[in-house]
């Protein structure tokens, strides 16, 4: 699967993120980047708040990646169909 270059952050997450300290938010952000880039899950066993936030946001990263893969597949199919129509039109014309 082709991987996107990043993931989206949504405003509706701010209520959860605002309950974290700046240090926790930084750890969480770094963990999400590591997960998105290398699929490595950070263990927040020392911080249950960050662990819960990571679980929620990890799901969002996964969903972003899934939607990206679907969009790539859809665009690829559309390009193949477009080329087939062009080829058929040239053959008929």
């Amino acid at each position: 699967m082709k991987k996107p270059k990043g993931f989206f952050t949504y405003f509706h997450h701010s209520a959860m993120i605002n309950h974290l300290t700046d240090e926790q938010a930084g750890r969480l952000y770094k963990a999400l980047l590591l997960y998105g880039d290398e699929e490595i899950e950070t263990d927040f066993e020392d911080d249950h708040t960050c662990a819960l936030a990571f679980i929620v946001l990890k799901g969002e990263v996964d969903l972003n990646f899934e939607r990206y893969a679907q969009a790539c597949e859809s665009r690829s199919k559309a390009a193949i169909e477009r080329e087939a129509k062009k080829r058929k039109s040239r053959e008929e014309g």
Side-chain angles (χ1 to χ4, degrees):
M1 170 176 85
K2 189 174 179 184
K3 217 162 98 173
K5 294 180 181 182
F7 58 87
F8 292 103
T9 301
Y10 299 99
F11 292 123
H12 66 270
H13 295 144
S14 65
M16 177 176 50
I17 301 299
N18 287 337
H19 281 85
L20 303 175
T21 65
D22 289 347
E23 180 183 343
Q24 287 174 311
R27 286 183 67 203
L28 178 62
Y29 185 66
K30 287 181 175 183
L32 290 168
L33 290 173
L34 182 64
Y35 177 72
D37 190 33
E38 299 180 32
E39 298 180 29
I40 297 173
E41 293 188 36
T42 300
D43 182 8
F44 287 105
E45 72 179 40
D46 63 323
D47 188 336
H48 298 295
T49 305
C50 277
L52 182 59
F54 180 77
I55 290 168
V56 171
L57 296 177
K58 175 185 153 234
E60 293 280 351
V61 171
D62 291 339
L63 185 60
N64 283 187
F65 282 23
E66 186 179 312
R67 287 179 178 158
Y68 179 79
Q70 290 171 350
C72 287
E73 184 178 334
S74 175
R75 290 178 187 140
S76 178
K77 285 180 183 178
I80 291 168
E81 290 173 7
R82 204 171 34 249
E83 288 304 313
K85 285 181 185 178
K86 286 180 186 177
R87 197 174 325 110
K88 184 178 179 181
S89 143
R90 281 183 288 221
E91 290 170 358
E92 291 174 353

